Amino acid sequence: MDQITVKDLNFTYPGRDRKALENVSMSIGSGEFVCLCGRTGSGKTTLLRSLKPILAPHGERTGSIRLLGKDMDELTDREAAARIGYVMQNPDNQIVTDKVWHELAFGLENIGMDPEAIRVRVAEMATFFGIHNWFGRDTDSLSGGQKQMLNLAAVMAMQPDVLLLDEPTASLDPVAAVDFLSTVSRISREIGTTIIIIEHRLDEVLPRADRVIVMDEGKIYADGMPAEVGLDLIEKEMPMGRAMPAPLRAYAGCLKEAGGDAVAADEAAGKTLKDEAIGDAPLDVAAGRRWLADAMDGEASSSGKDMTSQETGAAKPGREETEIEIKDIWMRYERNSADVLKGLSLTVKKGEILAIVGGNGAGKSTLMNVIAGAARPYRGKVVRGRRPVGALAQNPQLVFTEDTLEEDLKVASGSEEEMQEIVKKLQLEDLLASHPFDLSGGEQQRAALAKVMLAGAEVLLLDEPTKGLDEGYKEIVENMLKEFTAGGGTVIVTTHDVDFCARTAGRCAMLFDGQITGEGPAGRFFRGNAFYTTAANRMSRGITDSLFAEEIIDAVSEKRKEL
Amino acid sequence: MIETAFTKYHPVVNFIFFITAIVMTVVIFHPAALAVSLAASVASAVKFSGKKAVKYFFAFPFFVMILSMILNPLFVHKGLTVLFYIGESPVTVEAFAYGACTAMMVGAVIMWSYCYTQIMTSDRFMAVFGKIAPSTSLVFSMILRFLPRARRQAGKIASAQELLFVPPEEVAAEIEAGAANAADEADGQTSREQTKTTKIKKGMRVMSVLTTWALENSIDTADSMRARGYGLAGRTMYRKYRARPADIICGSLILALLAASVWAKASGVWDFYCYPEIEFGGRPVLPACILLAAMYAVPLVIEVWEDIKWTRSLSKI
């Protein structure tokens, strides 16, 4: 039975001309795991919120929505609250109470459940989600990943039939994000809850999803099996295609190289090859490896080694000036706490993009604070050049002070032209009149980047600059940073985004346990890692040793030419 | 927060005990009763928190007690038994006695309050009042969640704003000195005042951003609450703590001892006057004192009893 049926839904926000949703129709069956994706501003969140009556946006709506076999208006408040669960993006804002156990019980208290039954339910949920170890703690003392897991558990405690998630991992680090998403997929498999998730981490979600719905400018652009939709998007060179998992992109690219003609011809003949292609399409690294090994005849090639020489923006040692030099620094926050940095040394060269990678709690943010001068090591030396430094905190919200973005940027910048230029580059024109806090996560990130660049620093310290950005904007940011360094600026980024690192950074340094454990030109650095590297590299390790899907495509087509 | 034998009892029992102890300390103004209360409060605090409690005692209540003992005879000249004169003013035995009793009372109340904060954490407190005032207790819980968050956010905002543009150190020093000089010449302001005004300005900006942050994010919180059915009729209250027979026995025991002490107080056993001359009620105090001591010692007895049981069960292993 269909649990959600949307028919010809149109929606316009008050005071806007453009429809946020246009003729949206879909039906989702019981127990399906659906991934809803699309670029920023494509109407994903509007659609998802429309499915939760109490959160449905206000505006002009036509068409019909049927939920749980009833018309949306017939659903009682109680049913809507308990049977449709909704998890939002920001883990902190959703938590209501100060204790973990109270948060779990909150929804159940609201629907007037008997305290004894709540006791059982809370215990059950805590065990399923692995919360029992921190059951008695203050919600404030939890990590971001734990907070979001608590939000999920608190919603699931009400035993909803439908679970809606709006970019739940956008502010989590990769490890916590994978943990969260595998719990979501476990809910789907073990409990059978119908799930609709908006997610940017398609690498992680698509292999687990039954179905993917792609939105574009308020309309449903595609709806189907992940592999099928993905191949279609890549083939038609839609912007969303670039966000598809690397194995799928490599596969699709090779398919195209091998002869789009063959596919087209076959399409006329009855689509068999295409169907087969969809069946074979790899969505995750394991399937990707199998396919690639097949395509390359399992032969380990040496082509990877040739590529190491032509690094992207590789450092030419010897000639550059040193921007910042850090010598053997030791740092701790309190007299009796543990050392966060333990004898760390690092040299930053003028005009380079240096990426500092490493897990949570490795000391990345502390190192950034030391470089910016906000934290002082108790031993060691930091030598900084005579150039101003600008640092961007991980949470972009922190830097805004004014009521509109335009005023905010004016506070930061000297000249009007400079501002216009950066605004244009980061595509912020339409947002200038908005309050900075009203922007979405990705928009805030871009606006904050504009602000720090306008402040006029020549050395930029960026903490997770690509957080919440979709592929298109990521590229814009990448180009801006490259331009900035070409103009003589120096950039230091900390990031979890391996692909961004591999594409943009000249040099990568791995921070672990308070020390730099490895560093080198980005290409060599990632090719040397087995786990902490791009999906394309993991997929092609020992076969083509490529860093990006494009390199795999080239390697495969070269191989085909040889044959 | 600590976990001891006494916290294994229901929060209502804990709460009744502390209120009883504090009220009885204030109500029964008699050297024997106060001495017992002070001794029990210090012993309980040490039993609950160990060295930390000793440190606390000498850091705060001890000084208040000394002060009270010295200041009362110096400033209060009532009483008939004069010890000596300081200048024109007499220093009397009665004023000394009164000061000593007040010192014990204040010390005991402070130490009982210290024990209270160790045992009655926010969720234990809510377990007591949740049933009486459920919506107030939810608000209380939300405030407890909000305050540490806001404090941390303010720190983050201040540092993020500061770090947006950090001039190189030497250049910065020059600029600052130059600006200060210019200001000096212009209107005689010192550079210290200058930095003070910028500091206040910065603080105001952080506050304004913090307010926006709180308002904006509270929309999300409100959504999250409504999404989980807040506002539906018939809200219930989940209780983490269940009453066991032991709780009922312990609670009744405390109340019975309280009743006995109230009766003793009402019948004049605890009568004691300092002025104009020290005067006791005249009836034997010992039986009432034992009852009162028993009441103050309830947590101690529970703790010691648990220790004995624990060592015994250990010896069986």
Side-chain angles (χ1 to χ4, degrees):
Chain A
M1 189 193 79
D2 285 347
Q3 264 184 329
I4 300 172
T5 317
V6 176
K7 227 180 204 167
D8 300 324
L9 182 66
N10 284 282
F11 181 80
T12 317
Y13 281 103
R16 300 267 180 93
D17 301 328
R18 208 168 64 85
K19 285 178 177 172
L21 296 174
E22 206 177 331
N23 293 326
V24 170
S25 296
M26 63 177 187
S27 66
I28 287 162
S30 177
E32 267 193 293
F33 184 170
V34 180
C35 172
L36 185 60
C37 59
R39 286 195 294 166
T40 311
S42 58
K44 305 175 300 244
T45 299
T46 309
L47 176 59
L48 200 70
R49 285 181 92 99
S50 303
L51 301 179
K52 170 90 182 169
I54 205 147
L55 298 180
H58 298 285
E60 199 184 310
R61 185 196 323 269
T62 61
S64 77
I65 302 175
R66 284 178 73 80
L67 300 168
L68 311 166
K70 286 185 189 173
D71 209 67
M72 195 170 94
D73 306 323
E74 290 168 20
L75 218 58
T76 63
D77 287 348
R78 197 167 291 271
E79 274 178 316
R83 296 183 63 191
I84 303 170
Y86 197 98
V87 177
M88 293 180 274
Q89 185 172 345
N90 186 317
D92 258 311
N93 293 350
Q94 293 173 72
I95 294 177
V96 177
T97 64
D98 66 326
K99 293 282 176 192
V100 170
W101 62 265
H102 196 185
E103 192 64 26
L104 284 175
F106 179 75
L108 303 172
E109 290 179 340
N110 289 338
I111 55 171
M113 200 178 199
D114 173 56
E116 280 308 309
I118 294 182
R119 191 182 299 277
V120 176
R121 190 72 72 75
V122 162
E124 188 189 18
M125 280 303 129
T127 314
F128 185 89
F129 289 94
I131 288 174
H132 48 287
N133 295 324
W134 33 279
F135 185 64
R137 286 196 16 211
D138 285 349
T139 47
D140 198 58
S141 69
L142 305 178
S143 70
Q146 285 174 324
K147 279 179 187 155
Q148 198 62 310
M149 198 66 98
L150 174 62
N151 287 324
L152 179 62
V155 165
M156 287 308 294
M158 302 173 80
Q159 297 187 342
D161 298 306
V162 176
L163 177 62
L164 308 173
L165 304 113
D166 186 358
E167 288 191 50
T169 69
S171 62
L172 305 186
D173 68 81
V175 177
V178 170
D179 201 24
F180 184 89
L181 292 174
S182 42
T183 305
V184 171
S185 101
R186 204 173 132 221
I187 291 172
S188 162
R189 274 182 291 116
E190 292 180 15
I191 303 176
T193 312
T194 308
I195 294 172
I196 306 180
I197 183 170
I198 298 179
E199 184 56 68
H200 276 310
R201 295 175 204 261
L202 295 177
D203 283 22
E204 296 300 333
V205 178
L206 283 194
R208 304 173 204 265
D210 300 320
R211 192 170 141 192
V212 56
I213 295 176
V214 182
M215 294 200 61
D216 193 45
E217 299 190 338
K219 294 181 207 125
I220 290 186
Y221 175 78
D223 179 352
M225 303 250 298
E228 180 187 0
V229 171
L231 283 180
D232 187 55
L233 286 174
I234 299 167
E235 197 186 345
K236 294 199 178 128
E237 289 181 0
M238 288 290 290
M240 272 306 293
R242 277 188 303 222
M244 290 294 138
L248 190 66
R249 272 185 296 141
Y251 176 82
C254 291
L255 212 62
K256 212 171 185 177
E257 288 276 320
D261 323 330
V263 177
D266 227 84
E267 215 161 329
K271 271 195 165 185
T272 43
L273 185 65
K274 188 154 190 192
D275 288 343
E276 203 176 297
I278 290 166
D280 288 346
L283 283 169
D284 56 10
V285 169
R289 272 189 85 79
R290 278 196 297 275
W291 161 76
L292 187 62
D294 241 21
M296 299 296 288
D297 271 342
E299 171 195 331
S301 90
S302 55
S303 62
K305 271 156 208 146
D306 308 338
M307 278 174 213
T308 26
S309 54
Q310 41 165 348
E311 291 304 342
T312 42
K316 295 163 224 104
R319 283 194 290 124
E320 290 111 333
E321 292 171 69
T322 301
E323 180 80 57
I324 293 166
E325 192 166 16
I326 298 168
K327 276 186 198 155
D328 192 35
I329 54 166
W330 294 72
M331 166 80 201
R332 62 172 71 170
Y333 283 102
E334 274 155 45
R335 183 179 279 269
N336 294 322
S337 62
D339 284 322
V340 186
L341 302 177
K342 305 170 182 171
L344 180 144
S345 298
L346 181 69
T347 310
V348 185
K349 298 194 185 85
K350 213 168 220 176
E352 75 168 340
I353 300 180
L354 171 68
I356 296 169
V357 298
N360 270 355
K364 293 197 301 278
S365 300
T366 308
L367 178 58
M368 289 300 238
N369 281 338
V370 167
I371 296 174
R376 286 201 183 277
Y378 66 89
R379 192 191 294 170
K381 207 165 141 192
V382 182
V383 183
R384 231 181 306 155
R386 291 181 128 259
R387 298 213 288 175
V389 174
L392 189 56
Q394 201 178 104
N395 180 356
Q397 255 186 15
L398 297 172
V399 304
F400 303 119
T401 46
E402 309 302 318
D403 288 337
T404 66
L405 181 57
E406 190 167 12
E407 283 172 47
D408 215 302
L409 294 179
K410 269 186 188 151
V411 170
S413 76
S415 77
E416 180 78 12
E417 298 113 62
E418 209 185 342
M419 184 181 126
Q420 291 304 335
E421 197 193 3
I422 289 207
V423 162
K424 207 170 154 198
K425 268 188 202 156
L426 284 169
Q427 301 183 8
L428 293 166
E429 296 102 325
D430 299 341
L431 308 173
L432 282 177
S434 314
H435 192 288
F437 278 67
D438 285 338
L439 306 179
S440 76
E443 288 166 348
Q444 280 181 351
Q445 189 74 51
R446 277 185 287 144
L449 192 65
K451 192 168 180 184
V452 72
M453 295 194 90
L454 284 172
E458 288 165 68
V459 181
L460 287 185
L461 307 179
L462 309 175
D463 203 349
E464 296 279 353
T466 58
K467 207 176 206 179
L469 294 185
D470 66 23
E471 288 299 318
Y473 288 122
K474 237 185 240 181
E475 228 174 271
I476 295 173
V477 170
E478 282 168 21
N479 291 334
M480 274 193 80
L481 294 182
K482 279 179 184 162
E483 229 173 87
F484 180 75
T485 51
T490 305
V491 178
I492 306 171
V493 292
T494 65
T495 184
H496 284 299
D497 187 338
V498 177
D499 279 284
F500 167 74
C501 245
R503 275 196 305 261
T504 317
R507 224 153 46 96
C508 283
M510 177 89 159
L511 189 59
F512 177 74
D513 195 27
Q515 285 176 325
I516 301 289
T517 52
E519 67 172 306
R524 182 146 40 92
F525 177 83
F526 284 116
R527 271 183 250 272
N529 291 347
F531 301 104
Y532 207 90
T533 181
T534 61
N537 189 231
R538 274 177 281 149
M539 173 178 152
S540 64
R541 174 161 302 269
I543 308 172
T544 61
D545 280 318
S546 316
L547 272 186
F548 307 109
E550 292 73 30
E551 289 178 14
I552 296 180
I553 298 167
D554 289 346
V556 170
S557 61
E558 219 169 278
K559 171 90 184 166
R560 286 214 176 111
K561 269 178 215 151
E562 276 173 36
L563 290 176
Chain B
M1 194 186 117
I2 49 164
E3 295 284 340
T4 71
F6 193 47
T7 59
K8 286 181 187 156
Y9 284 83
H10 197 279
V12 171
V13 175
N14 303 150
F15 190 75
I16 289 176
F17 172 77
F18 286 117
I19 293 305
T20 305
I22 290 171
V23 168
M24 291 320 274
T25 305
V26 176
V27 167
I28 305 184
F29 195 79
H30 185 285
L34 290 170
V36 167
S37 177
L38 179 64
S41 66
V42 173
S44 306
V46 172
K47 189 72 201 154
F48 289 146
S49 315
K51 270 188 198 157
K52 245 174 69 195
V54 179
K55 257 190 197 165
Y56 178 79
F57 179 72
F58 283 109
F60 175 44
F62 185 70
F63 282 106
V64 178
M65 288 168 73
I66 299 277
L67 268 183
S68 158
M69 277 205 282
I70 295 171
L71 292 183
N72 195 58
L74 283 185
F75 289 102
V76 179
H77 309 299
K78 289 195 278 185
L80 296 174
T81 328
V82 177
L83 278 175
F84 51 84
Y85 286 87
I86 296 178
E88 297 280 293
S89 356
V91 174
T92 66
V93 171
E94 287 79 10
F96 249 126
Y98 191 86
C101 287
T102 318
M104 287 197 288
M105 185 178 90
V106 171
V109 168
I110 293 175
M111 288 316 282
W112 282 128
S113 309
Y114 176 78
C115 293
Y116 174 90
T117 56
Q118 299 295 300
I119 301 287
M120 294 299 286
T121 49
S122 66
D123 58 331
R124 295 180 79 77
F125 177 79
M126 292 220 343
V128 178
F129 286 100
K131 214 171 177 187
I132 308 167
S135 53
T136 318
S137 74
L138 179 67
V139 170
F140 184 68
S141 171
M142 289 175 69
I143 291 171
L144 281 175
R145 155 127 185 83
F146 177 75
L147 288 181
R149 253 189 98 193
R151 198 182 316 135
R152 211 152 357 99
Q153 188 76 8
K156 280 190 197 165
I157 291 169
S159 100
Q161 305 264 349
E162 207 130 298
L163 292 180
L164 261 185
F165 184 79
V166 186
E169 276 151 299
E170 296 90 342
V171 178
E174 274 167 36
I175 291 169
E176 221 166 80
N181 282 341
D184 267 348
E185 283 159 28
D187 50 20
Q189 248 187 336
T190 65
S191 64
R192 190 173 293 167
E193 272 169 28
Q194 188 87 358
T195 50
K196 212 175 182 182
T197 43
T198 45
K199 241 185 191 170
I200 292 172
K201 260 189 201 159
K202 262 183 205 165
M204 300 262 288
R205 202 168 55 196
V206 170
M207 269 316 287
S208 117
V209 177
L210 190 68
T211 316
T212 318
W213 167 82
L215 290 174
E216 280 291 331
N217 291 323
S218 66
I219 296 172
D220 261 6
T221 310
D223 275 351
S224 159
M225 289 172 74
R226 286 188 307 153
R228 282 185 282 160
Y230 185 72
L232 292 174
R235 190 178 144 81
T236 51
M237 188 73 196
Y238 168 53
R239 274 158 298 165
K240 197 178 157 205
Y241 305 96
R242 264 196 277 207
R244 302 163 303 154
D247 293 316
I248 293 161
I249 292 169
C250 184
S252 324
L253 182 69
I254 294 169
L255 290 177
L257 289 168
L258 171 69
S261 290
V262 168
W263 179 78
K265 169 77 187 165
S267 61
V269 175
W270 289 118
D271 282 353
F272 171 72
Y273 308 99
C274 278
Y275 305 121
E277 219 175 349
I278 293 174
E279 191 191 334
F280 290 94
R283 292 172 57 184
V285 168
L286 193 66
C289 198
I290 291 172
L291 282 178
L292 193 63
M295 191 207 74
Y296 285 136
V298 165
L300 270 179
V301 170
I302 288 170
E303 296 293 332
V304 173
W305 179 243
E306 181 88 356
D307 284 350
I308 293 170
K309 269 205 288 190
W310 177 239
T311 31
R312 261 210 216 137
S313 54
L314 269 189
S315 66
K316 278 184 205 151
I317 298 170

